Amino acid sequence: GFDIFQRFFERFEQRTRYAQGLLKTETFKFDDTVPILLNRRDAAFPADLKAAEDLWRDRLRYEYLEEKLALIDEQEQAKKSREETGAENPAVKNSVSAETAETNGVPVVVEASAPKSLDAQVREKLDRRYARNLKFFAEWDLSTLGHVYDPHTDYMGRAALEQFSINMNLALFGIGAQLRALDGYCTIERLLPGGPAEKSKKLKEKERIVAVAQADGEPVDVVDMSLNKIVQLIRGPKGTEVQLTVVPPEGAGASERRVVKLIRDEIPLEEQAAKAKLIEIPTGEGKTKRIGIIDLPTFYAPMDIVSRPDQTQTRHSTSEDVALLIEKLKQEGIEGLILDLRRNGGGSLEEAIRLTGMFIKKGPVVQVRDYDGKIGLDQDRDPSILYDGPMMVLTSRGSASASEILAGALQDYGRAVVVGDVSTHGKGTVQSLNQLGPVLRLAQIQEDPGALKVTIRKFYRINGESTQLRGVKPDIVLPAVANVMEDVGEAGLENPLEWDTINSARFSPVNMVGSYLPELRKQSEARLAVDKDFEYIREDMERFQEMQARKTVLLNETERSKELAEAKDRSEARAAERRSRPSSGSVTYEISLKDVALPGLPEPVGSSNAVHSATATGADPHRLMAGEDESDEAATSEIDPTMDEAERILLDYISALEESKVLTAGKQDS
């Protein structure tokens, strides 16, 4: 394995040096008439070095063109913004020979250079990117052997294990700053409320951290260091000191460096905990209905995974938090509930079982099968029901593992309408976390060796079907670009386990959904046929499918500029059309865990389609086809068509249940 990686690294270094050489000498032209293949996963290997270099040159040209077009667009947007606001152009200001700045209140003269040309900016950015990628692999730890067995058997080093503990406990010990790697610099994206960084008033957003020191230790240069390693340097035991050397944001003018000393503290990650919304929706004749939404990004639970003297004191669990939120929503008179699992990638299975039990009487929730074929059954043994009203589970291709167990169980019981993408992720396997310290006699080892995460079982729904590969198919499917993406979900990973079935468990369905589904689908389809937002989504689906079929891109600047201009015009036209719509009249109240003990509701935040952010449709298909990760730069839309339609479906469901009760009562009276 090490020999294979070493050969890979030699080839990667060779290609990197080749690309960096081209950035110094090549004159890039973009008038091609023959498209190139970007995603070469299924293509043949190059025949020789010359063929390989031709492929790398095309890849570099593609990256150059994309960066150039993005920079042109960025400059045009900045110019437009300055014209609208009358703000001064910082590039012009910094192009003079010198400027006056202040350092600790003392005026200093700072030399300022002329702005770089567009070509120079693109070349510099790409050169730094290639250098960072090379450094990343040079520092890479080999941890992929387990993926030969399945995608989720893996080695977790100390840093990965600590991050897993943070995600489960929703708390860490650090300074309370959200960081981001940007062009080789660790940039402060946001200061978390109540954290040491925010309380100190010494740090600002967009400032860059260039060195980190422990108490009186020597500072460590962190420029071009991986973000994970920088984070490990900044985190540490509660009450200890960390020193950050920071510089102003790029383009701010002054070249000031200063050292900021902070005392680490426990940082509760409240924003990653469950949250609620109460939506007040007009239904005509001056009447309204209230529905509740629980936004649940993960199934978290207190876990003492990393042994340390300053164990987390903030103890969150999904079931406890959601119970508090639902009680608050019930107090405020909701008539229906949506459980939003679209961003939920799983977590604690025990918490998923407890949460399922809040909506059913006692009974089985999930089956598991061991490697030797032994089948077990996990049940809810509490006969009490926290919420027994109309309910919906909202899913996506990103809903995985424990969230699939909950959605599948509530669907099998007929307890909730499941709405969303064509299927969930399809992760139907169970992992065991085995810490290596005790095995390797930790006393003889300088650092915590981490843990092995090993797949030991498979999940099965109570109806006997595995969630592996196929996931949970919703009762009502809504249009989404993710529905037509290849290699999305478990099926897109290497070496996934197969889908299969076992015998159904014995359970008693409540059958609150099945008889209403045909009419709910009919009403939803009628709305979707004329809904403008879903018309836009269907257009984006068609464009993406066309690009998937082509699998190529044309390196022609005129054509790409035309495509980008069309995309921008399309986006602006959609935005204008949305602005022209009359207000829905809905009112939204956001409810955090801090609000549940307070009387009444907080101040409303706006209409329901303006507060729940969702990934925008219309992403550049060229970038997606190249296999590039846009997660750090994903644009978000101010509206959420999927949630809007989910609310309408829930209202239809509530009305159907109400009508059914009236009809039943009428029969009894007669």
Side-chain angles (χ1 to χ4, degrees):
F2 287 95
D3 291 340
I4 293 171
F5 178 78
Q6 186 58 39
R7 176 54 58 87
F8 158 78
F9 185 74
E10 289 174 6
R11 293 289 179 252
F12 187 78
E13 185 176 30
Q14 180 184 13
R15 298 294 182 260
T16 299
R17 301 306 182 205
Y18 173 72
Q20 290 177 319
L22 289 178
L23 287 170
K24 294 178 181 178
T25 61
E26 187 81 355
T27 300
F28 295 102
K29 295 182 179 180
F30 301 99
D31 53 5
D32 297 29
T33 57
V34 179
I36 65 168
L37 180 66
L38 287 176
N39 189 341
R40 297 186 50 79
R41 180 173 182 174
D42 299 322
F45 284 96
D48 51 32
L49 180 60
K50 174 63 170 59
E53 289 180 341
D54 288 344
L55 293 175
W56 269 75
R57 183 175 180 274
D58 282 342
R59 177 73 196 193
L60 179 63
R61 293 176 63 233
Y62 164 77
E63 292 173 344
Y64 184 101
L65 179 58
E66 292 301 295
E67 290 298 336
K68 178 181 178 181
L69 295 174
L71 193 56
I72 290 173
D73 181 65
E74 180 182 314
Q75 292 176 348
E76 290 176 349
Q77 293 297 325
K79 180 181 178 182
K80 181 179 179 180
S81 177
R82 288 193 300 273
E83 290 173 348
E84 292 175 351
T85 62
E88 187 176 7
N89 185 349
V92 174
K93 178 181 177 182
N94 290 340
S95 66
V96 295
S97 59
E99 61 172 299
T100 300
E102 283 193 1
T103 301
N104 296 327
V106 180
V108 295
V109 175
V110 181
E111 294 297 325
S113 58
K116 297 174 183 176
S117 67
L118 184 69
D119 177 71
Q121 292 180 63
V122 173
R123 290 176 189 268
E124 181 179 305
K125 186 171 185 178
L126 290 176
D127 184 77
R128 288 180 65 87
R129 180 188 298 169
Y130 273 93
R132 285 199 306 274
N133 288 342
L134 185 63
K135 186 174 182 180
F136 168 78
F137 280 110
E139 299 173 347
W140 202 37
D141 296 324
L142 286 179
S143 60
T144 58
L145 180 61
H147 292 177
V148 174
Y149 301 97
D150 86 306
H152 307 290
T153 293
D154 206 350
Y155 166 69
M156 300 175 72
R158 181 180 64 88
L161 187 60
E162 183 173 309
Q163 186 60 49
F164 180 73
S165 176
I166 289 168
N167 292 340
M168 293 304 296
N169 288 288
L170 295 191
L172 59 85
F173 293 97
I175 65 170
Q178 193 173 79
L179 306 176
R180 180 183 180 188
L182 193 62
D183 291 335
Y185 285 97
C186 175
T187 304
I188 299 173
E189 187 78 2
R190 193 166 65 91
L191 301 178
L192 301 182
E198 191 263 345
K199 288 181 178 178
S200 73
K201 309 298 182 184
K202 297 177 182 178
L203 292 175
K204 299 177 181 178
E205 294 179 359
K206 308 307 177 187
E207 288 188 317
R208 298 173 293 172
I209 300 171
V210 297
V212 179
Q214 309 302 321
D216 296 327
E218 291 295 318
V220 177
D221 187 346
V222 298
V223 177
D224 283 329
M225 182 182 287
S226 73
L227 188 60
N228 284 337
K229 293 192 174 184
I230 299 172
V231 167
Q232 289 303 309
L233 290 173
I234 294 176
R235 289 177 185 165
K238 180 179 180 179
T240 58
E241 181 182 273
V242 62
Q243 300 178 7
L244 308 179
T245 303
V246 298
V247 298
E250 184 177 10
S255 57
E256 171 194 356
R257 277 178 174 244
R258 70 184 197 283
V259 175
V260 175
K261 297 181 180 181
L262 298 170
I263 302 300
R264 299 178 176 101
D265 199 355
E266 182 177 9
I267 313 296
L269 303 179
E270 301 287 354
E271 294 182 358
Q272 297 178 29
K275 307 175 192 63
K277 293 187 180 75
L278 186 147
I279 316 294
E280 205 167 56
I281 306 173
T283 57
E285 299 179 356
K287 297 181 180 180
T288 61
K289 282 190 179 294
R290 285 184 165 187
I291 64 171
I293 300 172
I294 299 292
D295 181 6
L296 186 60
T298 184
F299 288 96
Y300 48 89
M303 290 188 181
D304 297 333
I305 300 169
V306 180
S307 179
R308 51 195 301 171
D310 53 356
Q311 282 290 357
T312 301
Q313 297 174 5
T314 303
R315 313 297 279 183
H316 279 282
S317 78
T318 299
S319 54
E320 292 175 356
D321 289 352
V322 171
L324 291 172
L325 293 169
I326 290 178
E327 288 289 2
K328 178 67 173 178
L329 292 171
K330 287 166 59 179
Q331 291 172 15
E332 298 301 330
I334 63 165
E335 299 180 59
L337 179 69
I338 297 176
L339 187 57
D340 188 355
L341 301 181
R342 287 178 294 171
R343 297 182 295 132
N344 194 309
S348 168
L349 174 61
E350 290 76 14
E351 286 300 307
I353 294 170
R354 291 191 185 102
L355 189 57
T356 304
M358 293 180 183
F359 309 110
I360 62 171
K361 291 184 178 180
K362 62 181 181 179
V365 175
V366 62
Q367 302 185 85
V368 292
R369 187 177 69 176
D370 291 336
Y371 68 93
D372 59 1
K374 183 179 178 181
I375 295 173
L377 185 65
D378 289 325
Q379 304 190 54
D380 165 47
R381 302 183 183 279
D382 184 352
S384 64
I385 299 177
L386 178 64
Y387 177 76
D388 61 0
M391 184 178 175
M392 174 188 292
V393 178
L394 193 55
T395 62
S396 74
R397 300 295 293 274
S399 306
S401 195
S403 62
E404 296 175 283
I405 294 303
L406 186 149
L410 294 181
Q411 188 179 58
D412 289 343
Y413 274 101
R415 174 64 186 87
V417 182
V418 180
V419 176
D421 294 350
V422 66
S423 72
T424 55
H425 183 89
K427 180 185 178 296
T429 56
V430 188
Q431 284 71 45
S432 171
L433 197 64
N434 303 281
Q435 295 190 334
L436 295 176
V439 178
L440 300 179
R441 300 181 185 276
L442 188 57
Q444 302 176 14
I445 300 173
Q446 294 297 320
E447 289 191 0
D448 185 348
L452 288 178
K453 181 162 64 76
V454 182
T455 297
I456 57 171
R457 299 185 183 95
K458 288 179 72 175
F459 287 130
Y460 294 84
R461 295 168 59 158
I462 53 177
N463 68 4
E465 294 183 358
S466 171
T467 57
Q468 177 65 11
L469 287 183
R470 298 187 184 183
V472 176
K473 299 184 184 303
D475 300 310
I476 300 176
V477 177
L478 300 182
V481 175
N483 290 348
V484 295
M485 284 185 174
E486 298 175 356
D487 297 336
V488 173
E490 187 83 358
L493 302 177
E494 294 186 1
N495 306 314
L497 299 182
E498 293 297 322
W499 177 86
D500 60 349
T501 62
I502 60 175
N503 292 331
S504 172
R506 296 180 61 183
F507 66 100
S508 302
V510 296
N511 297 324
M512 289 179 61
V513 174
S515 61
Y516 303 104
L517 283 177
E519 184 60 27
L520 293 179
R521 291 191 187 106
K522 180 180 178 181
Q523 291 173 308
S524 178
E525 288 170 0
R527 284 191 299 268
L528 295 181
V530 296
D531 186 281
K532 290 296 292 185
D533 285 317
F534 282 98
E535 178 184 324
Y536 299 152
I537 291 173
R538 286 189 290 268
E539 290 173 359
D540 292 336
M541 292 170 67
E542 291 176 5
R543 271 190 296 276
F544 188 80
Q545 285 180 300
E546 291 173 1
M547 181 57 68
Q548 278 189 322
R550 284 192 293 170
K551 299 183 182 298
T552 59
V553 62
L554 185 64
L555 294 185
N556 186 296
E557 185 169 356
T558 301
E559 291 299 318
R560 284 291 287 127
S561 296
K562 181 181 177 182
E563 290 174 357
L564 290 175
E566 291 174 350
K568 183 184 293 186
D569 291 343
R570 183 167 55 249
S571 178
E572 291 176 352
R574 291 179 180 182
E577 185 275 323
R578 285 165 174 155
R579 287 193 298 269
S580 69
R581 299 176 190 173
S583 171
S584 66
S586 299
V587 179
T588 298
Y589 303 87
E590 293 186 343
I591 303 171
S592 70
L593 291 167
K594 295 179 180 178
D595 297 322
V596 296
L598 301 176
L601 291 168
E603 289 296 315
V605 296
S607 60
S608 62
N609 70 346
V611 295
H612 193 298
S613 183
T615 302
T617 58
D620 184 355
H622 292 289
R623 294 182 65 87
L624 294 174
M625 288 305 300
E628 297 186 19
D629 183 5
E630 293 193 339
S631 58
D632 288 342
E633 302 177 25
T636 56
S637 171
E638 290 184 351
I639 66 167
D640 188 349
T642 299
M643 179 58 76
D644 291 343
E645 178 58 19
E647 293 171 9
R648 292 187 286 259
I649 294 172
L650 182 59
L651 290 178
D652 291 341
Y653 181 38
I654 294 170
S655 297
L657 287 171
E658 291 174 345
E659 183 179 349
S660 176
K661 290 178 181 178
V662 170
L663 291 176
T664 301
K667 290 180 181 179
Q668 291 173 342
D669 291 340
S670 63

Short mmCIF file of all heavy atoms in Angstrom, two decimals, residues 81 305 536 538:
data_model
loop_
_atom_site.label_atom_id
_atom_site.label_comp_id
_atom_site.label_asym_id
_atom_site.label_seq_id
_atom_site.Cartn_x
_atom_site.Cartn_y
_atom_site.Cartn_z
N SER A 81 -21.99 47.12 -7.90
CA SER A 81 -22.31 47.45 -6.52
C SER A 81 -21.80 48.83 -6.15
O SER A 81 -22.49 49.60 -5.48
CB SER A 81 -21.69 46.40 -5.59
OG SER A 81 -21.93 46.72 -4.25
N ILE A 305 -16.32 10.00 23.81
CA ILE A 305 -15.48 9.27 22.86
C ILE A 305 -14.01 9.56 23.09
O ILE A 305 -13.16 8.67 23.08
CB ILE A 305 -15.88 9.65 21.42
CG1 ILE A 305 -17.34 9.28 21.18
CG2 ILE A 305 -14.98 8.96 20.41
CD1 ILE A 305 -17.91 9.84 19.91
N TYR A 536 -38.94 26.04 -12.99
CA TYR A 536 -37.51 26.34 -13.05
C TYR A 536 -36.68 25.10 -12.71
O TYR A 536 -35.65 24.83 -13.35
CB TYR A 536 -37.16 27.46 -12.06
CG TYR A 536 -37.86 28.77 -12.31
CD1 TYR A 536 -38.13 29.66 -11.26
CD2 TYR A 536 -38.25 29.15 -13.59
CE1 TYR A 536 -38.76 30.86 -11.47
CE2 TYR A 536 -38.90 30.36 -13.81
CZ TYR A 536 -39.15 31.21 -12.75
OH TYR A 536 -39.78 32.41 -12.97
N ARG A 538 -37.51 21.95 -13.10
CA ARG A 538 -37.56 21.00 -14.22
C ARG A 538 -36.65 21.44 -15.36
O ARG A 538 -36.01 20.61 -16.02
CB ARG A 538 -39.01 20.83 -14.69
CG ARG A 538 -39.87 20.00 -13.73
CD ARG A 538 -41.23 19.68 -14.35
NE ARG A 538 -42.06 20.86 -14.45
CZ ARG A 538 -42.93 21.26 -13.53
NH1 ARG A 538 -43.07 20.56 -12.41
NH2 ARG A 538 -43.66 22.34 -13.69
#
